[in-house]
Amino acid sequence: MAYNDDEQTAPTSTATEPARPTVGITGQLVKQVRLNKYHNDVASMAPHDQELLLELRGSSSSTDRAGLDLVAVIDVSGSMDGDGIDKAKTALQFVIRKLSDLDRLCIVTFCTNATRLCPLRFVTAAAQAELKALVDGLKADGNTNMKDGLETGMSVVDGRSLAAGRAVSVMLMSDGYQNHGGDARDVHLKNVPVYTFGFGASHDSNLLEAIARKSLGGTFNYVADSANLTGPFSQLLGGLLTIIAQDLELTVTRFHGEATIKRVVWVDAGTYPQTTASDGSSVTVSFGTLYSAEARRVIVYLALADKTASPPYDANVCLAQYRFTFQAQQVTSNPDLITIKRRPSAAPGAARKPQPVENELARRQHADMIRAARDMAEANKMEDARNKLEEARKALEENFNQAANPTVAMLLEELRQLRGLMERQDLYNKEGRPYAASSLASHDRQRVATRGQADGVRLYTTPHMDTYLKQAEQFEKNPDEAPPPAEADVVPDVPRDMAAGDRRTLSAALRVAAAVLSLAAFVLMASVRTSGWDSDRYDLYEQYYRLLHDHLPVASKHHAFLTCNKSRC
């Protein structure tokens, strides 16, 4: 069925008008995304391999964001009766209350057949009451026809009359195996991200993982029996309501005669789709959407040519350029040239890789070891799987300071939890398999995904996700107390109702704070050079920069960033 009855304009709302995105003139680069490059500055004249890290990072502002078209596809089959349907209702109520009249929502349920409860409609104050009533009336019964549910959700997406400039996403939740209709893997997802949620011990993690992987940027989330759905739903919503770039692509072009390739996949971007030029000189990676404060890291593997017969020179090894759409406007960056100084004094292989490159390579090795352990567990080789996880643990502990690096601490906790779920084959089949699947989905997409209870593992979260998770926890305790609307989550540099004198006082205080933080950064980075923390200085810098970016005015941030930059952190 074709659904082209989506609302075109938001009815008059009594809610506070949400912040509306603004764009620059055509051709002007909107500062929503920036490209960071990490590589060796100097390299030998002899032939050798080089790894480059390219990072696309979204701005920390969510004021300028795309309006969201969210299609929630929810399992209401008989197995959801009782606690399951109650948790689904509470989670949906939180979603409804967080959306604003910039966003549209459609709810699709499926059991023996799928039902579209409402068209895509703007979530005004009046619509919220009607949507909440629809959710309150949900009942569980019948079989599990997941294909019909997903097909109906995609039909809503395909039939939209208003689509330009809007970000669309599908969330699919199920607690069981499909036992009616066809195979949901066969549904055509196009370039729409589908985020799947496997709830409880009896869901089909293989199916839900396959659906999310087939989509562009979607992740599989495992929600344990004892957990609520509101937290995982809120964490996703904290990203979807801060989408600042759509159709994000990165093109990497190598220079012939300077850099050759020794790997079939010389641009490693996880499971994001790639397109290679016919002559093999360039690769374009498609990422889909990017949230505020999110990052996409790409490793480029190059083999530098033999230049021992040449005088020293600066080698242009590759070119990087990204593009995205924002409010239906196409934005293309200027080409970014990556140059490495070829010098005879540089011994091949002697130079240490920049710390961000080493960190990213270590994280990918960590994910590959989890992948290998999962393959062993699927082959009923549980002892081998545990040994592989132990190998991964030792590799992290030997190369990184856990106490000073919270990311490493979370990676170690991830290994500890997964190893516990691989103690027995039956335990792995019940909980270890979906845990491993959600872990790999998170690493491959470089995007947050819920892992069971998710205690201690908060990889790839953004500040807004952390805020939404806290709000969800409060909402679970008191569902009658509505969480603040999405636009209220955007904290301005200075409160709007502050008097002019107070603004000046706060501005002066922030400038002092910026100077203190800058001095602290200089001392910290200097101590890193002499205290054995060398392996962790990039992560420390990144935390410091995020603090500046999120909490200080532009001028103060600029001053502090220059100070930090001078310390060569």
Side-chain angles (χ1 to χ4, degrees), residues 107-146:
I107 301 174
V108 174
T109 59
F110 66 93
C111 49
T112 304
N113 296 296
T115 302
R116 188 191 68 155
L117 298 185
C118 61
L120 264 176
R121 59 182 308 187
F122 286 96
V123 187
T124 62
Q128 279 188 347
E130 296 172 11
L131 290 166
K132 286 160 58 180
L134 287 176
V135 170
D136 285 338
L138 295 180
K139 299 184 183 303
D141 188 29
N143 296 316
T144 306
N145 190 346
M146 196 181 303

mmCIF file of all heavy atoms in Angstrom, residues 107-146:
data_model
loop_
_atom_site.group_PDB
_atom_site.id
_atom_site.type_symbol
_atom_site.label_atom_id
_atom_site.label_comp_id
_atom_site.label_asym_id
_atom_site.label_seq_id
_atom_site.Cartn_x
_atom_site.Cartn_y
_atom_site.Cartn_z
ATOM 1 N N ILE A 107 3.525 5.461 13.866
ATOM 2 C CA ILE A 107 3.650 4.227 14.644
ATOM 3 C C ILE A 107 3.011 3.087 13.859
ATOM 4 O O ILE A 107 1.853 3.168 13.444
ATOM 5 C CB ILE A 107 2.988 4.358 16.023
ATOM 6 C CG1 ILE A 107 3.636 5.494 16.814
ATOM 7 C CG2 ILE A 107 3.095 3.037 16.793
ATOM 8 C CD1 ILE A 107 2.956 5.781 18.137
ATOM 9 N N VAL A 108 3.804 2.045 13.658
ATOM 10 C CA VAL A 108 3.339 0.824 12.977
ATOM 11 C C VAL A 108 3.484 -0.329 13.958
ATOM 12 O O VAL A 108 4.533 -0.477 14.599
ATOM 13 C CB VAL A 108 4.165 0.536 11.704
ATOM 14 C CG1 VAL A 108 3.776 -0.806 11.085
ATOM 15 C CG2 VAL A 108 3.990 1.663 10.688
ATOM 16 N N THR A 109 2.447 -1.139 14.108
ATOM 17 C CA THR A 109 2.533 -2.325 14.944
ATOM 18 C C THR A 109 2.403 -3.565 14.063
ATOM 19 O O THR A 109 1.827 -3.510 12.969
ATOM 20 C CB THR A 109 1.433 -2.346 16.012
ATOM 21 O OG1 THR A 109 0.150 -2.319 15.371
ATOM 22 C CG2 THR A 109 1.560 -1.144 16.936
ATOM 23 N N PHE A 110 2.980 -4.668 14.537
ATOM 24 C CA PHE A 110 2.820 -5.916 13.789
ATOM 25 C C PHE A 110 2.648 -7.092 14.741
ATOM 26 O O PHE A 110 3.245 -7.156 15.814
ATOM 27 C CB PHE A 110 4.004 -6.160 12.848
ATOM 28 C CG PHE A 110 5.331 -6.396 13.526
ATOM 29 C CD1 PHE A 110 5.767 -7.690 13.815
ATOM 30 C CD2 PHE A 110 6.159 -5.332 13.867
ATOM 31 C CE1 PHE A 110 6.982 -7.909 14.425
ATOM 32 C CE2 PHE A 110 7.381 -5.548 14.477
ATOM 33 C CZ PHE A 110 7.804 -6.843 14.757
ATOM 34 N N CYS A 111 1.766 -7.978 14.347
ATOM 35 C CA CYS A 111 1.583 -9.286 14.988
ATOM 36 C C CYS A 111 1.358 -10.254 13.842
ATOM 37 O O CYS A 111 2.267 -10.471 13.043
ATOM 38 C CB CYS A 111 0.472 -9.266 16.027
ATOM 39 S SG CYS A 111 -1.074 -8.523 15.478
ATOM 40 N N THR A 112 0.149 -10.809 13.708
ATOM 41 C CA THR A 112 -0.121 -11.653 12.537
ATOM 42 C C THR A 112 -0.087 -10.818 11.260
ATOM 43 O O THR A 112 0.358 -11.268 10.203
ATOM 44 C CB THR A 112 -1.480 -12.345 12.683
ATOM 45 O OG1 THR A 112 -1.490 -13.093 13.913
ATOM 46 C CG2 THR A 112 -1.733 -13.305 11.523
ATOM 47 N N ASN A 113 -0.540 -9.577 11.372
ATOM 48 C CA ASN A 113 -0.463 -8.617 10.268
ATOM 49 C C ASN A 113 0.026 -7.280 10.821
ATOM 50 O O ASN A 113 0.024 -7.057 12.037
ATOM 51 C CB ASN A 113 -1.838 -8.438 9.605
ATOM 52 C CG ASN A 113 -2.325 -9.717 8.946
ATOM 53 O OD1 ASN A 113 -1.727 -10.205 8.002
ATOM 54 N ND2 ASN A 113 -3.420 -10.278 9.478
ATOM 55 N N ALA A 114 0.422 -6.396 9.941
ATOM 56 C CA ALA A 114 0.896 -5.076 10.346
ATOM 57 C C ALA A 114 -0.238 -4.066 10.276
ATOM 58 O O ALA A 114 -1.138 -4.164 9.441
ATOM 59 C CB ALA A 114 2.055 -4.626 9.466
ATOM 60 N N THR A 115 -0.186 -3.068 11.167
ATOM 61 C CA THR A 115 -1.184 -2.006 11.199
ATOM 62 C C THR A 115 -0.480 -0.663 11.345
ATOM 63 O O THR A 115 0.348 -0.492 12.244
ATOM 64 C CB THR A 115 -2.155 -2.186 12.384
ATOM 65 O OG1 THR A 115 -2.796 -3.455 12.286
ATOM 66 C CG2 THR A 115 -3.214 -1.081 12.386
ATOM 67 N N ARG A 116 -0.808 0.259 10.465
ATOM 68 C CA ARG A 116 -0.306 1.620 10.632
ATOM 69 C C ARG A 116 -1.301 2.364 11.503
ATOM 70 O O ARG A 116 -2.449 2.591 11.114
ATOM 71 C CB ARG A 116 -0.166 2.303 9.267
ATOM 72 C CG ARG A 116 0.547 3.653 9.349
ATOM 73 C CD ARG A 116 0.438 4.444 8.064
ATOM 74 N NE ARG A 116 -0.925 4.892 7.798
ATOM 75 C CZ ARG A 116 -1.263 5.938 7.056
ATOM 76 N NH1 ARG A 116 -0.319 6.667 6.482
ATOM 77 N NH2 ARG A 116 -2.517 6.262 6.848
ATOM 78 N N LEU A 117 -0.872 2.755 12.697
ATOM 79 C CA LEU A 117 -1.792 3.397 13.634
ATOM 80 C C LEU A 117 -2.097 4.832 13.255
ATOM 81 O O LEU A 117 -3.156 5.360 13.600
ATOM 82 C CB LEU A 117 -1.212 3.365 15.050
ATOM 83 C CG LEU A 117 -0.968 1.987 15.663
ATOM 84 C CD1 LEU A 117 -0.507 2.133 17.114
ATOM 85 C CD2 LEU A 117 -2.217 1.120 15.591
ATOM 86 N N CYS A 118 -1.181 5.499 12.558
ATOM 87 C CA CYS A 118 -1.386 6.885 12.178
ATOM 88 C C CYS A 118 -0.428 7.229 11.055
ATOM 89 O O CYS A 118 0.616 6.593 10.903
ATOM 90 C CB CYS A 118 -1.157 7.825 13.364
ATOM 91 S SG CYS A 118 0.521 7.741 14.039
ATOM 92 N N PRO A 119 -0.753 8.226 10.249
ATOM 93 C CA PRO A 119 0.199 8.684 9.231
ATOM 94 C C PRO A 119 1.328 9.458 9.895
ATOM 95 O O PRO A 119 1.303 9.733 11.097
ATOM 96 C CB PRO A 119 -0.652 9.602 8.350
ATOM 97 C CG PRO A 119 -1.720 10.100 9.261
ATOM 98 C CD PRO A 119 -2.023 8.972 10.210
ATOM 99 N N LEU A 120 2.348 9.793 9.130
ATOM 100 C CA LEU A 120 3.400 10.671 9.639
ATOM 101 C C LEU A 120 2.774 12.016 9.964
ATOM 102 O O LEU A 120 2.248 12.698 9.087
ATOM 103 C CB LEU A 120 4.492 10.851 8.587
ATOM 104 C CG LEU A 120 5.722 9.957 8.660
ATOM 105 C CD1 LEU A 120 6.628 10.230 7.466
ATOM 106 C CD2 LEU A 120 6.482 10.129 9.966
ATOM 107 N N ARG A 121 2.844 12.401 11.239
ATOM 108 C CA ARG A 121 2.226 13.656 11.640
ATOM 109 C C ARG A 121 3.170 14.439 12.523
ATOM 110 O O ARG A 121 3.980 13.886 13.264
ATOM 111 C CB ARG A 121 0.896 13.415 12.344
ATOM 112 C CG ARG A 121 0.982 12.558 13.583
ATOM 113 C CD ARG A 121 -0.395 12.323 14.181
ATOM 114 N NE ARG A 121 -1.122 13.573 14.378
ATOM 115 C CZ ARG A 121 -2.289 13.646 15.009
ATOM 116 N NH1 ARG A 121 -2.869 12.553 15.484
ATOM 117 N NH2 ARG A 121 -2.888 14.805 15.171
ATOM 118 N N PHE A 122 3.077 15.765 12.421
ATOM 119 C CA PHE A 122 3.900 16.626 13.253
ATOM 120 C C PHE A 122 3.495 16.467 14.715
ATOM 121 O O PHE A 122 2.305 16.424 15.040
ATOM 122 C CB PHE A 122 3.755 18.088 12.823
ATOM 123 C CG PHE A 122 4.472 18.398 11.539
ATOM 124 C CD1 PHE A 122 3.802 18.382 10.322
ATOM 125 C CD2 PHE A 122 5.828 18.700 11.544
ATOM 126 C CE1 PHE A 122 4.455 18.662 9.138
ATOM 127 C CE2 PHE A 122 6.493 18.983 10.357
ATOM 128 C CZ PHE A 122 5.817 18.953 9.145
ATOM 129 N N VAL A 123 4.480 16.414 15.577
ATOM 130 C CA VAL A 123 4.201 16.138 16.990
ATOM 131 C C VAL A 123 3.982 17.462 17.722
ATOM 132 O O VAL A 123 4.854 17.960 18.451
ATOM 133 C CB VAL A 123 5.348 15.322 17.623
ATOM 134 C CG1 VAL A 123 4.979 14.892 19.043
ATOM 135 C CG2 VAL A 123 5.640 14.080 16.785
ATOM 136 N N THR A 124 2.830 18.027 17.487
ATOM 137 C CA THR A 124 2.409 19.226 18.209
ATOM 138 C C THR A 124 1.865 18.813 19.570
ATOM 139 O O THR A 124 1.740 17.622 19.881
ATOM 140 C CB THR A 124 1.321 19.961 17.420
ATOM 141 O OG1 THR A 124 0.184 19.077 17.297
ATOM 142 C CG2 THR A 124 1.801 20.342 16.022
ATOM 143 N N ALA A 125 1.525 19.809 20.395
ATOM 144 C CA ALA A 125 0.968 19.503 21.710
ATOM 145 C C ALA A 125 -0.333 18.705 21.573
ATOM 146 O O ALA A 125 -0.575 17.749 22.327
ATOM 147 C CB ALA A 125 0.725 20.792 22.487
ATOM 148 N N ALA A 126 -1.174 19.082 20.602
ATOM 149 C CA ALA A 126 -2.430 18.354 20.403
ATOM 150 C C ALA A 126 -2.166 16.937 19.905
ATOM 151 O O ALA A 126 -2.807 15.978 20.339
ATOM 152 C CB ALA A 126 -3.313 19.114 19.418
ATOM 153 N N ALA A 127 -1.200 16.798 18.994
ATOM 154 C CA ALA A 127 -0.888 15.472 18.453
ATOM 155 C C ALA A 127 -0.305 14.561 19.529
ATOM 156 O O ALA A 127 -0.547 13.347 19.521
ATOM 157 C CB ALA A 127 0.088 15.591 17.290
ATOM 158 N N GLN A 128 0.452 15.124 20.453
ATOM 159 C CA GLN A 128 1.018 14.317 21.525
ATOM 160 C C GLN A 128 -0.062 13.587 22.302
ATOM 161 O O GLN A 128 0.067 12.385 22.594
ATOM 162 C CB GLN A 128 1.837 15.186 22.486
ATOM 163 C CG GLN A 128 3.246 15.486 22.003
ATOM 164 C CD GLN A 128 4.070 16.174 23.075
ATOM 165 O OE1 GLN A 128 3.547 16.633 24.079
ATOM 166 N NE2 GLN A 128 5.380 16.246 22.861
ATOM 167 N N ALA A 129 -1.130 14.281 22.636
ATOM 168 C CA ALA A 129 -2.212 13.657 23.401
ATOM 169 C C ALA A 129 -2.848 12.519 22.615
ATOM 170 O O ALA A 129 -3.151 11.453 23.177
ATOM 171 C CB ALA A 129 -3.255 14.715 23.771
ATOM 172 N N GLU A 130 -3.039 12.718 21.313
ATOM 173 C CA GLU A 130 -3.662 11.672 20.495
ATOM 174 C C GLU A 130 -2.725 10.483 20.305
ATOM 175 O O GLU A 130 -3.150 9.323 20.324
ATOM 176 C CB GLU A 130 -4.071 12.264 19.146
ATOM 177 C CG GLU A 130 -5.149 13.346 19.264
ATOM 178 C CD GLU A 130 -5.409 14.058 17.944
ATOM 179 O OE1 GLU A 130 -4.922 13.577 16.906
ATOM 180 O OE2 GLU A 130 -6.091 15.104 17.959
ATOM 181 N N LEU A 131 -1.439 10.753 20.115
ATOM 182 C CA LEU A 131 -0.464 9.671 19.964
ATOM 183 C C LEU A 131 -0.330 8.865 21.253
ATOM 184 O O LEU A 131 -0.221 7.632 21.226
ATOM 185 C CB LEU A 131 0.888 10.244 19.552
ATOM 186 C CG LEU A 131 0.983 10.803 18.133
ATOM 187 C CD1 LEU A 131 2.252 11.637 17.962
ATOM 188 C CD2 LEU A 131 0.963 9.672 17.103
ATOM 189 N N LYS A 132 -0.342 9.557 22.386
ATOM 190 C CA LYS A 132 -0.256 8.862 23.668
ATOM 191 C C LYS A 132 -1.457 7.950 23.865
ATOM 192 O O LYS A 132 -1.325 6.835 24.393
ATOM 193 C CB LYS A 132 -0.167 9.883 24.805
ATOM 194 C CG LYS A 132 1.197 10.565 24.906
ATOM 195 C CD LYS A 132 1.159 11.860 25.673
ATOM 196 C CE LYS A 132 0.633 11.678 27.075
ATOM 197 N NZ LYS A 132 0.606 12.985 27.808
ATOM 198 N N ALA A 133 -2.630 8.388 23.433
ATOM 199 C CA ALA A 133 -3.833 7.556 23.550
ATOM 200 C C ALA A 133 -3.712 6.309 22.678
ATOM 201 O O ALA A 133 -4.133 5.212 23.079
ATOM 202 C CB ALA A 133 -5.069 8.369 23.173
ATOM 203 N N LEU A 134 -3.148 6.455 21.479
ATOM 204 C CA LEU A 134 -2.949 5.294 20.616
ATOM 205 C C LEU A 134 -2.028 4.271 21.284
ATOM 206 O O LEU A 134 -2.278 3.065 21.248
ATOM 207 C CB LEU A 134 -2.346 5.734 19.281
ATOM 208 C CG LEU A 134 -3.255 6.466 18.291
ATOM 209 C CD1 LEU A 134 -2.449 6.899 17.067
ATOM 210 C CD2 LEU A 134 -4.417 5.571 17.862
ATOM 211 N N VAL A 135 -0.959 4.766 21.881
ATOM 212 C CA VAL A 135 0.000 3.873 22.528
ATOM 213 C C VAL A 135 -0.621 3.189 23.744
ATOM 214 O O VAL A 135 -0.425 1.990 23.980
ATOM 215 C CB VAL A 135 1.270 4.652 22.926
ATOM 216 C CG1 VAL A 135 2.183 3.809 23.816
ATOM 217 C CG2 VAL A 135 2.019 5.090 21.674
ATOM 218 N N ASP A 136 -1.391 3.942 24.527
ATOM 219 C CA ASP A 136 -2.037 3.363 25.708
ATOM 220 C C ASP A 136 -2.980 2.218 25.331
ATOM 221 O O ASP A 136 -3.198 1.303 26.129
ATOM 222 C CB ASP A 136 -2.822 4.436 26.468
ATOM 223 C CG ASP A 136 -1.909 5.367 27.259
ATOM 224 O OD1 ASP A 136 -0.770 4.953 27.564
ATOM 225 O OD2 ASP A 136 -2.327 6.496 27.556
ATOM 226 N N GLY A 137 -3.501 2.267 24.126
ATOM 227 C CA GLY A 137 -4.449 1.238 23.699
ATOM 228 C C GLY A 137 -3.813 -0.003 23.099
ATOM 229 O O GLY A 137 -4.523 -0.921 22.659
ATOM 230 N N LEU A 138 -2.498 -0.085 23.044
ATOM 231 C CA LEU A 138 -1.838 -1.250 22.448
ATOM 232 C C LEU A 138 -2.116 -2.515 23.255
ATOM 233 O O LEU A 138 -2.064 -2.517 24.482
ATOM 234 C CB LEU A 138 -0.329 -1.031 22.359
ATOM 235 C CG LEU A 138 0.167 0.081 21.429
ATOM 236 C CD1 LEU A 138 1.688 0.147 21.460
ATOM 237 C CD2 LEU A 138 -0.319 -0.146 20.008
ATOM 238 N N LYS A 139 -2.385 -3.607 22.549
ATOM 239 C CA LYS A 139 -2.590 -4.914 23.173
ATOM 240 C C LYS A 139 -1.760 -5.942 22.408
ATOM 241 O O LYS A 139 -1.528 -5.803 21.207
ATOM 242 C CB LYS A 139 -4.071 -5.305 23.158
ATOM 243 C CG LYS A 139 -4.974 -4.349 23.929
ATOM 244 C CD LYS A 139 -6.408 -4.845 23.953
ATOM 245 C CE LYS A 139 -7.325 -3.852 24.655
ATOM 246 N NZ LYS A 139 -6.888 -3.548 26.032
ATOM 247 N N ALA A 140 -1.299 -6.968 23.111
ATOM 248 C CA ALA A 140 -0.448 -8.004 22.512
ATOM 249 C C ALA A 140 -1.275 -9.238 22.184
ATOM 250 O O ALA A 140 -2.034 -9.738 23.019
ATOM 251 C CB ALA A 140 0.678 -8.364 23.475
ATOM 252 N N ASP A 141 -1.098 -9.734 20.958
ATOM 253 C CA ASP A 141 -1.835 -10.920 20.528
ATOM 254 C C ASP A 141 -1.301 -11.363 19.166
ATOM 255 O O ASP A 141 -0.740 -10.575 18.416
ATOM 256 C CB ASP A 141 -3.334 -10.605 20.420
ATOM 257 C CG ASP A 141 -4.175 -11.853 20.171
ATOM 258 O OD1 ASP A 141 -3.745 -12.930 20.619
ATOM 259 O OD2 ASP A 141 -5.231 -11.745 19.524
ATOM 260 N N GLY A 142 -1.451 -12.648 18.847
ATOM 261 C CA GLY A 142 -1.167 -13.128 17.509
ATOM 262 C C GLY A 142 0.266 -13.561 17.285
ATOM 263 O O GLY A 142 1.076 -13.682 18.213
ATOM 264 N N ASN A 143 0.599 -13.824 16.017
ATOM 265 C CA ASN A 143 1.916 -14.294 15.604
ATOM 266 C C ASN A 143 2.874 -13.120 15.374
ATOM 267 O O ASN A 143 2.545 -11.971 15.672
ATOM 268 C CB ASN A 143 1.785 -15.142 14.334
ATOM 269 C CG ASN A 143 0.983 -16.402 14.564
ATOM 270 O OD1 ASN A 143 1.171 -17.088 15.561
ATOM 271 N ND2 ASN A 143 0.076 -16.717 13.640
ATOM 272 N N THR A 144 4.056 -13.433 14.815
ATOM 273 C CA THR A 144 5.080 -12.405 14.583
ATOM 274 C C THR A 144 5.383 -12.316 13.094
ATOM 275 O O THR A 144 6.184 -13.086 12.565
ATOM 276 C CB THR A 144 6.369 -12.733 15.367
ATOM 277 O OG1 THR A 144 6.055 -12.915 16.739
ATOM 278 C CG2 THR A 144 7.387 -11.605 15.223
ATOM 279 N N ASN A 145 4.749 -11.359 12.425
ATOM 280 C CA ASN A 145 4.961 -11.141 10.997
ATOM 281 C C ASN A 145 5.846 -9.902 10.832
ATOM 282 O O ASN A 145 5.373 -8.812 10.514
ATOM 283 C CB ASN A 145 3.616 -10.957 10.285
ATOM 284 C CG ASN A 145 3.749 -10.961 8.772
ATOM 285 O OD1 ASN A 145 4.853 -10.847 8.240
ATOM 286 N ND2 ASN A 145 2.635 -11.082 8.082
ATOM 287 N N MET A 146 7.127 -10.103 11.073
ATOM 288 C CA MET A 146 8.055 -8.971 11.057
ATOM 289 C C MET A 146 8.204 -8.387 9.662
ATOM 290 O O MET A 146 8.373 -7.173 9.502
ATOM 291 C CB MET A 146 9.417 -9.397 11.600
ATOM 292 C CG MET A 146 10.321 -8.243 11.982
ATOM 293 S SD MET A 146 11.943 -8.755 12.595
ATOM 294 C CE MET A 146 11.497 -9.797 13.962
#
